[in-house]
Structures are given as C-alpha cells and as structure tokens.
Amino acid sequence: MTLEIVGISVLWLFLFGYLIIASIDFGAGFFNAYSLLTGRQHILTNIIQRYLSPVWEVTNVFLVFFFVGVVGFFPKTAFYYGTTLLVPASIAIILLAIRGSYYAFETYGSRGHKGYSFMYGIAGLFIPASLSIVLTISEGGFVSMVDGQPVLDYWELFTNPLTWSIVVLSIAAVLYISAVFLTWYADKAKDAKATSLMRKYALLWSLPLIITAIGIMVELRQHNAEHYGRMLDFWWLFAISAVMYVGTVWLIWKRKKYGLALSLLIGQFALAFFAYGISHYPYLLYPHLTLYDGFTNPTMAVALIIAFIAGLGLLIPSLYLLLKLFLFNKDYVRGKKDNHA
Amino acid sequence: MGNEESVFFSRVLTELTLSFHIIYATIGVGVPLMIMIAQWVGIKKNDEHYILLARRIARGFVITVAVGVVTGTAIGLQLSLLWPNFMQLAGNVIALPLFLETFAFFFEAIFLGIYLYTWDRFENQKKHLLLLIPVAIGASASAVFITIVNAFMNAPQGFDILNGELINIQPLVAMLNPAMPTKVAHVLVTAYMTTAFVLASIAAFRLLKGSNHIYHKKSLFLMLKLGLIFGIAAAIIGDFSGKYLAAYQPEKLAAAEWHFETEKGAPLVLLGILDGEEVKYAFKIPYALSILAHGSPATEVTGLNDFPQDEIPPLYIHYLFDGMVMIGMFLVFISFVYVIGKIRKWKFISSRWFRWIVVMGGPLAILAIEFGWWLAEVGRQPWILKGFMRTAEGATTSNNVDIMLILFSGLYLILGIGSVVVLRRMFRNNPVEQELEDRHAEKGGDFT
C-alpha cells in the first residue's frame, strides 16, 4: 500500500465518521423543529437535547479534521477545490456557524425559543446539500481550466440531474440515519412514545433513500462512464450494503433489536461509502487531479502519518470515555440527573 | 471583477474573520486555565465561592466557545478558499502543525463536553478538576500549533526552491522557525492576561451595579493577581519579540517605530504624527530602540530607507504598536496598584472611580489583542510568505469574494450581537446571590 492510499483511506474514514455523526446531528435538529411545528415537542426534545449537548462540538471537529487533512495530504486540492468551491463552501460555513452557535445560544441562553429551533432545523438540511456539491463536482464535467485556473460552471452544475439526485440522497440519508439512531437511543432511554415516533420516521425515509441511491447509479452511467464501470467492478460491496439495508428496515418494522438495526445501518453506509470511494480511484477531481499528482512530498506524508497515529492514540480512549459517560450511561440516557454546568 | 479586486476583498474578508475570531479564540485559550485555577483555589481553601466562580465562568464559556468554534471553522476553510495558491505551496511544508492543531482541538472538544456535563456527578471535586486539565492543555496547544503556522509565514524555513520546485522539505525545521518562540509565548501569555482582565472587568462591573457580594470581591482580587503576573510576563516576552524583529524582520520594526535612517543609539518614538518623513509631536526616548532591538544603547538599528521601497509595510502600524504597548503597560499598572493596595489596605481601590477603570480593563485588553495582531499581520505586507510569495500571488481568482464578504459580515454581526445578548441574559436572570441560595437549599451548603 502506498502512502497516497494510506492518506486517502484515513481521510475517507474520517469523512465517513463525519457523515454518520453529522447526519444524526442535522436530522435531530430537523426532527426537533418539525415536532415543534406539529406540537409534539414534548415527545422528542428531551431525548434529542440529551444526546446532542455533550457531543455537538466533537461533531464539528470531524469536519475540520477532514478538510485540514485533505489539504495536508493533498495540497493541490487547495488549488482546485479552493478556487472553485468559494461560494458553496462559504454558504456551508455560514449555515454551520448559525447552527453551531444557535444551538449553544438556545440550550444555555433561552431554552425553548422557537425561532432558534427553526433556524437550527432548517440550516441542518441545507448543510448536507451544500456540502454534497463537492461530491458532484468531483465527478468531472463542471470544472474547466481557463488560463491555468480552474473555473466552476454554475449553470451546468445547477441544471444537471446528477447534482439534484446527490442533494436529495444526502437529505434522505441524513433523515434516515438520524431517525434510526434516535429510535435506538429513545428505546435505550425507555421512552416508548419517542421510540415509536422515530421508528415511523425511519421507515418513512428508508424509501427515498434507496430510490435516489439507485437513481444516482443510473445517472453516473451517463455522466462518467469510467466511474460507473469501476463501480460495477465492486458490485458485490454494493450488494452486501443493500442486504444490510433490508435487514435494518426489517428489524425496525418488526420493532426488534434496534441495536442490531443501528449496526447494520452503519455497515450499510460504510460499505456503500467505501465502495464509492474506491471506485473513484485514482481521481480526486475527474479528470484534472489524481491521487498521485495531488499528493504531498514523502517527508510531509510520513510526518503526517506519524502525527496521525499519535493523535489517534490520544483520541480513541478519549472518545471511548465520552461515549461511556453519555451514550452508554443508563442514568444519563434516561435523564435521571442533569449535571450540566 | 479583476484579480486585483479579488485580492483586495480576500484580504478584507480574511481580516474581518480573524479579527472577529480572535476575540473568542483568545478567551477560549485563557478561560480553561482560569476555571482550573478558580476550582483549584476553591478546593484548596474549601471555599464554595471559588467553585461557584469556576462553574459560572464555565457556563458563560459555552457561548464563547460555540462562536469560537464556528468562526474557527470559517477561517480554517477560508484559508483554502481565499488563498488557494498559497495553501498549495505552504501545505507542502506547514501541514503538520495545522494537522496537529486539529488534534488539540479535538482533544479539547471531547473533554470540554465531559467537563460541562459532569458537575455534581463525581463525589470528589478533585476528579472533576482533573477533567479540566486536558481542556486547558488542548486549548493552549491548539493556540501553540496555529501560531506556529503563522510564525512560519513570517519566517519561512525548512525547504528550498529549485526551479520552482520545492525540495529538501523538513516539517520540523519549518515548525521550529525563528519567529516561533516569541510568537507562541506572546500569544499564550497575552491570552491568559486578557482573559484575567475580562473576568476582573465583569467582577468590578457587578460590584458597581448593585451587588456587593464577597464573591465578586474574591473574583476581582484573584483575576487582578493573575492579570498582573501574566501582564509582566507579556511585557518581558514583548521585549524578546522586539529583539526577534530586529534580527529577522527589521523592516517591520522600523515601520512600527518610524525609524527611517540607519543609526546608532536609535530613539524609541512614542505617539506622534507622520508628515512625509517628518515625525511631529512625538515623544522620543533616546537609545530605547537600540536597547529594545539589541539590548545595548550603542548598537545600530537599520532604518526604513535601507530597504527596497516595495518591501516596506504600511507605516500606520506605528499607531497599532503604540496602542498595544500602552494598553499593556496601563493594565500592568492598574493591577499592580490594586494588588499592592489590597495588601496595604488602601481605601481608594474600592472606590467607584477605580472600579470603573478596572471595568475598562477588559475591553482594553481585547483591543490590545486586536492591535497586536493587526501589527503583526499588516507588518509583514507585502508578503504572504515572507521572502517567497507576495500576498497578491496567493489569492483566489474567483469573482465572488465581494458577495461572500457581505454574507460573512452579516454572519459576524448576528453572532456578535447574539452572543452578547445571550450572555447578558444568562447571568442577569441568575445572579450569584440567587444561585448560592439555590445550591444551599439543594445541598445544605456542603460543597466538598
């Protein structure tokens, strides 16, 4: 395995981590706002707040980690993606900023402020949409080189069905992942009402998820035949992922083993995400930038990997402690004690 | 929009984001240490007031951390969005400390979450105090690493350029650049100093506005003691920074001091107005610049006239330098008077006018931080990577920077107002007297 592959695998893993925990976070914000609108706030708010409060900052770090890592391992991405993504990424930053700070404002400043909750919930759905544009652009066809500088063709981007399918997929995935997680979490908290409501949402969002996922495969065939061909080479990974998807939906439908359902969900997304990533190889931005052109010098790569291993040695036990204290602590999950500052 | 405008708006947007971010970032570096000290003193003295102080600071900290995190994310991404050419070059050499910074940040975020949600969970307050150590280390370490990146931009090393190609890259040498020791030390110490004065400012304000509780008096004394210690440290390190500038960035020092002619026994210029090359209405302290620059009154200090004209930073940085130094001196002076006055039982330190001066201390300290950063950053113009890349070469070619500038200005306005409103409401609705009463009712006054 070359250093390039190690680098991109590590980053892909972190992006996957962000995908899962940010989805839970974004979806939870949306469900919270939606329950306010439909007058079911009392059912969901406690569960959602209890989960989100200690972890929201950690969620944000996963994203920072990813983009700092990308520029570190692949400095040329700063040139290609930095220039072209100014507008979509800036919008994502603004939404993230509103979301992150208003979460703190609402939770600590004035609990139950409706305006904050709505902003929070709606911003959460636009963020995956604005971030998923990166995935669309990476498929090629939207960036052209003018005088040696990359330029993004917005018209082409916004009129292409691939763009919108990826946007819809990202939103459906956010709501589905979040609903399955919260079903499990509410069940752990022995909150029957919240469990049954979240279960309904999980089943509701499972369908658009799988439809758009299949739709994107079809569109890629048109848009980037080379990528589509490589995806077919890994058909078995997507097949296992699909089986896991069926397993999750079935368990949730039968109201059984929500823990297993959650594991299957994570497995499903992990396989699909990595199969997608592997089939994208060797391009970072088709066809302008490959993994090998964009890679940093070997000295820096080795330094980064050493720093990465040392950092993980520190982070994994800490993350475990965080999960142990909040996610897997019965008293905390059931809300018996409120120990916040 | 031409490229020149892109460069201009990129500079304005970066300056705006950083100027806003450092207010929250500085507090973010200093506060964990202050909470730690307050809680430690509380445990040592078995005094509930200090524990409560720690808790109340922690609660307010959540709000400033939230804004600090999101604006930090913004500047992190903006580096690549607004300065893609620079990041492509620098990323090869300086990615390591950037990467390490995210680890420190990660570490801090995890333990801050745990710390904030485990008050009362542990029988032993000391265990809870232990959780704060990684928070304080993480906060300071991320400041260290990100300042290393900035130091590298001022004094790049650890690579060679051969025919436009980067060779001989040494990440550790790049990190251990000559600007690093003074910059890192100055950033850390002034962050602690500023936080102490901001917290002292709050205590003095509460004392002026109604409450005469012993809690605020304890907080005021503790914070001004800490402010004094860190203030003196900041002044000493500031002197080292002057010597660093003389050796490595003499044009920055010369511009900050309006020192045009190379001469021996150079005077230090305070205040004044620049008229062409004529400095008017200024106080001049003979030999002081030579002492600041080289530690001896007779040595020669290079003047601005000996540098190429297109490599000289804007001369207005002189005002920033003066502002920063004078505020620093003033803060050291008032905290010194207060601490001595407390020991010798001088009456006037409890008077209203003196407390108002202390209230001014917090905002002034933040102003000094802004001045200091503007001085450091504008002082290395026209370079983005001193000696290697001019600012104009590093900027984006995208045409939409002006619109983004408007959007981000709106965002920072909302965040600034929002954080102030929420913080005020948080503490106004729950004054210390009320909270002490509530806690006594709950626990029977037993805090240890």
Side-chain angles (χ1 to χ4, degrees):
Chain A
M1 212 152 80
T2 58
L3 286 175
E4 286 90 340
I5 304 284
V6 175
I8 197 70
S9 307
V10 162
L11 294 170
W12 205 242
L13 189 68
F14 264 83
L15 189 59
F16 177 69
Y18 181 66
L19 182 118
I20 295 293
I21 60 170
S23 292
I24 295 172
D25 187 333
F26 295 151
F30 176 78
F31 288 127
N32 191 31
Y34 183 71
S35 68
L36 250 165
L37 194 71
T38 52
R40 291 180 215 166
Q41 197 201 7
H42 54 283
I43 307 181
L44 289 185
T45 299
N46 281 338
I47 288 285
I48 289 173
Q49 294 254 332
R50 218 172 294 145
Y51 164 72
L52 283 183
S53 296
V55 301
W56 68 268
E57 203 191 341
V58 177
T59 308
N60 214 34
V61 185
F62 268 88
L63 177 66
V64 176
F65 196 94
F66 174 73
F67 69 68
V68 171
V70 163
V71 176
F73 277 102
F74 302 95
K76 277 214 173 84
T77 54
F79 175 66
Y80 285 95
Y81 281 108
T83 310
T84 49
L85 285 176
L86 178 69
V87 176
S90 292
I91 291 172
I93 300 171
I94 290 174
L95 292 170
L96 276 169
I98 291 177
R99 226 180 152 269
S101 49
Y102 275 76
Y103 177 74
F105 291 1
E106 195 214 341
T107 315
Y108 298 91
S110 51
R111 219 172 259 273
H113 190 291
K114 278 198 181 180
Y116 290 176
S117 306
F118 279 119
M119 278 230 276
Y120 185 70
I122 300 302
L125 287 193
F126 283 114
I127 295 168
S130 59
L131 288 177
S132 64
I133 297 241
V134 184
L135 290 182
T136 319
I137 291 174
S138 75
E139 291 300 338
F142 305 106
V143 173
S144 52
M145 302 299 286
V146 180
D147 299 333
Q149 297 286 341
V151 175
L152 179 62
D153 184 343
Y154 284 98
W155 176 252
E156 176 65 29
L157 182 67
F158 283 110
T159 51
N160 198 302
L162 180 67
T163 313
W164 295 104
S165 311
I166 291 183
V167 166
V168 176
L169 176 70
S170 70
I171 293 175
V174 158
L175 294 171
Y176 175 65
I177 291 172
S178 185
V180 173
F181 174 85
L182 288 171
T183 309
W184 168 76
Y185 195 69
D187 183 56
K188 242 176 95 75
K190 300 250 185 263
D191 189 335
K193 273 188 183 165
T195 312
S196 98
L197 189 60
M198 289 321 300
R199 173 182 165 269
K200 238 183 271 170
Y201 291 149
L203 293 172
L204 184 71
W205 286 102
S206 61
L207 210 60
L209 175 82
I210 204 73
I211 293 172
T212 43
I214 293 168
I216 285 169
M217 299 279 266
V218 177
E219 277 150 18
L220 262 187
R221 192 171 158 184
Q222 300 263 318
H223 190 89
N224 184 342
E226 197 181 324
H227 189 183
Y228 178 75
R230 285 190 56 94
M231 274 169 97
L232 284 189
D233 294 344
F234 296 101
W235 68 270
W236 50 278
L237 281 174
F238 290 103
I240 302 173
S241 171
V243 171
M244 288 176 151
Y245 163 77
V246 173
T248 313
V249 175
W250 189 77
L251 285 172
I252 296 216
W253 179 262
K254 288 279 174 194
R255 300 171 199 270
K256 292 201 280 208
K257 296 190 177 151
Y258 291 130
L260 181 62
L262 182 65
S263 315
L264 284 175
L265 169 112
I266 293 174
Q268 172 210 338
F269 275 91
L271 284 180
F273 193 70
F274 276 88
Y276 171 84
I278 296 166
S279 63
H280 210 289
Y281 175 88
Y283 291 104
L284 290 172
L285 175 62
Y286 182 86
H288 301 294
L289 184 63
T290 68
L291 217 55
Y292 300 95
D293 296 337
F295 199 58
T296 187
N297 56 85
T299 331
M300 182 55 83
V302 171
L304 288 178
I305 287 171
I306 292 171
F308 182 78
I309 293 168
L312 273 194
L314 206 63
L315 284 188
I316 289 172
S318 321
L319 273 174
Y320 173 75
L321 184 67
L322 182 76
L323 294 179
K324 192 169 162 275
L325 282 171
F326 297 106
L327 210 53
F328 301 121
N329 184 293
K330 277 207 176 102
D331 281 349
Y332 179 79
V333 173
R334 287 180 196 168
K336 282 199 180 136
K337 267 187 175 172
D338 181 18
N339 287 323
H340 89 77
Chain B
M1 198 160 79
N3 191 38
E4 251 174 55
E5 284 172 52
S6 287
V7 175
F8 173 74
F9 285 117
S10 296
R11 288 183 58 184
V12 177
L13 180 49
T14 307
E15 179 166 9
L16 181 72
T17 304
L18 276 174
S19 299
F20 188 71
H21 175 64
I22 54 172
I23 299 173
Y24 295 88
T26 302
I27 294 171
V29 172
V31 159
L33 187 72
M34 300 304 148
I35 303 176
M36 205 164 99
I37 293 172
Q39 200 163 334
W40 183 69
V41 172
I43 292 170
K44 270 254 147 159
K45 292 192 172 175
N46 195 10
D47 184 335
E48 59 170 350
H49 289 141
Y50 289 102
I51 305 263
L52 188 63
L53 177 66
R55 187 166 190 158
R56 285 172 72 89
I57 301 174
R59 211 178 294 146
F61 186 48
V62 181
I63 303 298
T64 60
V65 149
V67 180
V69 167
V70 297
T71 52
T73 310
I75 188 63
L77 266 163
Q78 278 177 358
L79 275 182
S80 299
L81 295 174
L82 299 175
W83 309 100
N85 298 305
F86 161 70
M87 281 304 279
Q88 185 190 338
L89 172 70
N92 279 296
V93 191
I94 203 66
L96 183 61
L98 267 178
F99 201 53
L100 288 172
E101 196 243 346
T102 59
F103 271 115
F105 177 34
F106 218 141
F107 195 53
E108 180 197 351
I110 291 172
F111 281 93
L112 184 66
I114 298 178
Y115 177 76
L116 289 174
Y117 282 83
T118 50
W119 281 90
D120 309 333
R121 202 191 265 192
F122 300 106
E123 290 287 315
N124 189 344
Q125 274 285 342
K126 276 185 194 150
K127 269 192 199 162
H128 195 223
L129 177 65
L130 284 181
L131 285 170
L132 207 53
I133 295 171
V135 180
I137 291 176
S140 293
S142 58
V144 168
F145 289 125
I146 205 65
T147 311
I148 288 176
V149 176
N150 181 270
F152 171 80
M153 293 161 85
N154 278 281
Q157 64 170 29
F159 65 102
D160 293 307
I161 294 182
L162 190 72
N163 303 326
E165 297 271 323
L166 287 169
I167 55 163
N168 294 336
I169 289 163
Q170 298 162 285
L172 286 176
V173 175
M175 283 176 73
L176 302 173
N177 59 71
M180 190 275 269
T182 44
K183 258 197 190 271
V184 166
H186 198 64
V187 163
L188 281 184
V189 164
T190 51
Y192 302 146
M193 172 184 173
T194 301
T195 312
F197 280 104
V198 167
L199 294 170
S201 173
I202 294 170
F205 188 73
R206 290 307 307 150
L207 284 169
L208 277 166
K209 292 280 165 187
S211 174
N212 201 26
H213 202 281
I214 183 80
Y215 164 89
H216 298 301
K217 291 180 182 161
K218 284 176 181 170
S219 163
L220 183 63
F221 189 37
L222 177 66
M223 289 308 156
L224 284 180
K225 267 192 281 189
L226 292 169
L228 178 62
I229 295 167
F230 290 123
I232 292 171
I236 295 169
I237 294 159
D239 180 58
F240 290 147
S241 303
K243 295 184 173 38
Y244 155 77
L245 283 180
Y248 292 93
Q249 287 177 293
E251 71 280 14
K252 193 194 261 186
L253 183 71
E257 273 309 315
W258 288 345
H259 183 64
F260 292 93
E261 296 294 334
T262 303
E263 60 182 334
K264 290 178 180 169
L268 188 79
V269 179
L270 274 182
L271 300 171
I273 294 170
L274 198 61
D275 183 15
E277 268 197 24
E278 191 88 23
V279 182
K280 286 183 176 168
Y281 313 115
F283 299 102
K284 290 194 178 177
I285 308 174
Y287 304 111
L289 185 59
S290 283
I291 296 173
L292 177 71
H294 301 288
S296 109
T299 40
E300 190 173 78
V301 181
T302 319
L304 281 171
N305 294 342
D306 287 359
F307 296 102
Q309 282 305 305
D310 62 342
E311 289 182 12
I312 290 176
L315 294 179
Y316 72 81
I317 62 171
H318 173 72
Y319 302 111
L320 301 172
F321 184 73
D322 277 359
M324 172 184 82
V325 172
M326 284 194 303
I327 291 172
M329 293 296 172
F330 174 71
L331 291 176
V332 170
F333 176 71
I334 57 163
S335 53
F336 179 74
V337 169
Y338 188 88
V339 171
I340 295 294
K342 197 83 182 169
I343 296 167
R344 316 214 92 183
K345 302 205 165 47
W346 292 340
K347 278 260 152 56
F348 77 90
I349 54 162
S350 313
S351 64
R352 288 184 70 82
W353 64 267
F354 194 82
R355 279 185 182 154
W356 273 115
I357 292 177
V358 177
V359 172
M360 294 298 300
L364 279 177
I366 288 177
L367 199 61
I369 293 280
E370 298 281 2
F371 284 164
W373 272 114
W374 292 332
L375 164 71
E377 295 306 282
V378 178
R380 73 182 151 97
Q381 289 304 325
W383 301 106
I384 191 167
L385 200 56
K386 186 179 179 282
F388 291 97
M389 186 186 250
R390 281 174 181 264
T391 309
E393 298 163 335
T396 180
T397 48
S398 176
N399 290 329
N400 303 308
V401 190
D402 46 354
I403 307 166
M404 296 303 118
L405 175 62
I406 296 169
L407 280 180
F408 277 100
S409 308
L411 173 71
Y412 301 143
L413 192 70
I414 295 173
L415 292 183
I417 295 173
S419 54
V420 172
V421 168
V422 170
L423 278 172
R424 277 170 61 109
R425 193 184 297 154
M426 211 154 123
F427 290 102
R428 185 158 293 182
N429 294 347
N430 187 16
V432 108
E433 292 82 357
Q434 181 70 43
E435 190 165 349
L436 275 171
E437 233 169 74
D438 291 350
R439 296 190 64 77
H440 280 279
E442 223 172 84
K443 298 185 114 191
D446 178 24
F447 263 83
T448 44

